[in-house]
Amino acid sequence: AYQKEPKIRELIEGDASAMRVWEFAKKLEGLKRNAGMHAAGVVISNEPLWKKTPIYKPSGEENYITQYSLNYLEDVDLIKFDFLGLKTLDVIDSAIKLIKNRYEKEVDWHAIDENDPEVYKVIQSGDTIGMFQIESSGMQDLNKRLKPSSFEDLIAVLALYRPGPMESGMLDDFIERKHGRQAITYTFPAMEAILKPTYGVIVYQEQVMQIVQTIGGFSLGYSDIIRRAMGKKKDLSAYNDEFSQGAAKQSLDYKKASELFDLIEKFAGYGFNKSHSAAYAMIKFQTAWLKTYYPQEFMQALVTSEKDNTDKVVKYINEAKRMKSFSGAPDTNHTQ
């Protein structure tokens, strides 16, 4: 601003107070405004943190925090995990305890078929109120249209129900291909193993990495660099040639590979992290399973978890009535 705006220079040179403020401003510029702490971020290290990063202890806090922000931790060989607290985990836990108390039955998720068709019938019906991440009206409509029939479909639902995939047509392509109304094609046969679970549509960031690795011959580490660059909408023209040449070395058509890279670049910005979506899909399946087989216990746990939110209590009691799982008003003389 000093270089481009003559009035700033005039003000500073003609006013001693302005000059003093300007000198202070130059010293302050670039300094951190304040120290902040990530609500759910945990930094993992294989040796004491102070060997890799300056550390800071906020007043009133038991734990130390890194003075480097999240963008620079990887450069000093540290890794950050975000541990999200989900109320739904408490709902599931409460329902399981009710089931054990009433029926003396232990719920073992490892022994339950995550492709149970009875559970998917309920999801397909759109009666998803109370189910994790899929109870909104938009999600109810999507489940009716898409009709998820496997755990892979559940993972995809969460990844596709976002503005980017919906506006770009990815979601509609996925639905049409799943139901056989649109042909599933692959630029190269080797891509079938990567894209078959998503009916030929590039949905996940991991798929982008696998394609770049398999067709372009890149290492997984280099593939991840390209994935990140795509996510940040960087110019990837240099990578296109490298990718196409790598494909040609494997006796694949250079021009087709170049067109494929353009397609990957178009959809990579919408790509979702599959491991994140899969973890959420597991919680979604568990809530759907509980609602299918133990609706009374599930709805009871759900209402209890929202006891301070009148609107949600009313919503869930109405759902319990619809399901014929409502057993009347709370009774202080009766405990379960």
Side-chain angles (χ1 to χ4, degrees):
Y2 183 84
Q3 299 294 333
K4 293 181 178 179
E5 179 51 71
K7 289 180 182 177
I8 293 178
R9 192 175 303 178
E10 288 172 20
L11 176 66
I12 293 167
E13 291 173 354
D15 186 328
S17 295
M19 172 63 79
R20 190 162 179 265
V21 170
W22 183 259
E23 291 303 319
F24 279 129
K26 284 199 294 184
K27 288 181 172 66
L28 290 170
E29 188 176 23
L31 295 178
K32 298 297 180 191
R33 183 170 59 95
N34 62 285
M37 184 170 67
H38 193 296
V42 177
V43 176
I44 306 295
S45 176
N46 60 350
E47 56 184 325
L49 272 177
W50 57 264
K51 290 190 175 183
K52 294 183 176 179
T53 171
I55 53 178
Y56 168 69
K57 194 170 190 293
S59 61
E61 287 288 335
E62 291 183 18
N63 299 316
Y64 290 99
I65 63 175
T66 64
Q67 287 193 45
Y68 291 151
S69 67
L70 63 103
N71 298 319
Y72 304 103
L73 289 172
E74 207 172 271
D75 294 338
V76 293
D77 195 30
L78 290 172
I79 185 167
K80 177 183 75 71
F81 290 94
D82 290 352
F83 291 98
L84 306 176
L86 297 174
K87 188 188 291 185
T88 307
L89 295 176
D90 281 339
V91 173
I92 292 169
D93 184 58
S94 297
I96 287 172
K97 286 174 180 172
L98 284 168
I99 293 165
K100 184 179 180 181
N101 188 33
R102 290 177 182 172
Y103 310 110
E104 295 184 356
K105 178 175 179 179
E106 296 276 357
V107 175
D108 179 6
W109 294 117
H110 298 292
I112 291 169
D113 179 14
E114 59 208 22
N115 291 308
D116 182 343
E118 294 303 312
V119 176
Y120 288 92
K121 282 180 189 174
V122 177
I123 296 173
Q124 290 169 9
S125 72
D127 296 330
T128 56
I129 288 176
M131 295 183 193
F132 182 64
Q133 293 272 306
I134 56 169
E135 65 174 340
S136 68
S137 58
M139 270 294 193
Q140 289 176 37
D141 291 340
L142 174 57
N143 282 300
K144 287 178 185 176
R145 286 178 60 209
L146 195 149
K147 298 197 178 302
S149 54
S150 66
F151 189 69
E152 280 286 351
D153 285 349
L154 279 193
I155 299 172
V157 164
L158 293 175
L160 288 166
Y161 190 70
R162 295 179 298 119
M166 291 166 77
E167 290 166 10
S168 68
M170 279 173 66
L171 176 56
D172 292 329
D173 286 345
F174 187 94
I175 292 170
E176 292 303 298
R177 292 181 183 198
K178 173 177 170 57
H179 296 298
R181 296 189 291 264
Q182 189 181 107
I184 300 172
T185 57
Y186 305 100
T187 307
F188 298 108
M191 291 170 59
E192 183 173 356
I194 300 168
L195 298 180
K196 191 173 183 180
T198 52
Y199 311 103
V201 180
I202 301 170
V203 175
Y204 309 117
Q205 293 172 353
E206 289 89 340
Q207 288 175 318
V208 170
M209 289 176 64
Q210 284 179 290
I211 293 170
V212 170
Q213 181 196 21
T214 304
I215 306 301
F218 294 171
S219 69
L220 268 176
Y222 196 43
S223 301
D224 191 46
I225 290 170
I226 294 173
R227 176 194 63 78
R228 292 187 198 183
M230 287 177 172
K232 292 174 183 175
K233 304 285 194 295
K234 290 185 177 178
D235 179 21
L236 298 169
S237 52
Y239 291 122
N240 188 321
D241 183 56
E242 199 174 344
F243 174 82
S244 304
Q245 285 185 12
K249 286 177 184 175
Q250 299 182 73
S251 302
L252 299 173
D253 186 275
Y254 179 96
K255 187 180 177 186
K256 274 189 178 181
S258 180
E259 290 169 355
L260 171 62
F261 193 88
D262 288 338
L263 186 67
I264 294 171
E265 189 177 350
K266 178 185 174 185
F267 287 107
Y270 306 132
F272 198 71
N273 183 254
K274 185 178 183 181
S275 54
H276 174 91
S277 195
Y280 270 27
M282 181 58 75
I283 300 172
K284 177 168 61 170
F285 172 80
Q286 291 176 358
T287 56
W289 185 88
L290 287 167
K291 190 174 183 182
T292 301
Y293 291 107
Y294 295 95
Q296 196 165 20
E297 289 72 24
F298 176 65
M299 295 308 295
Q300 182 176 334
L302 200 58
V303 171
T304 302
S305 75
E306 298 290 357
K307 62 183 183 295
D308 298 321
N309 187 327
T310 307
D311 290 342
K312 286 196 173 181
V313 167
V314 171
K315 173 183 174 182
Y316 292 140
I317 286 177
N318 286 337
E319 175 67 0
K321 286 177 178 176
R322 185 195 67 78
M323 297 163 61
K324 298 183 171 53
S325 296
F326 184 68
S327 56
D331 186 345
T332 57
N333 296 314
H334 179 78
T335 58
Q336 182 83 333

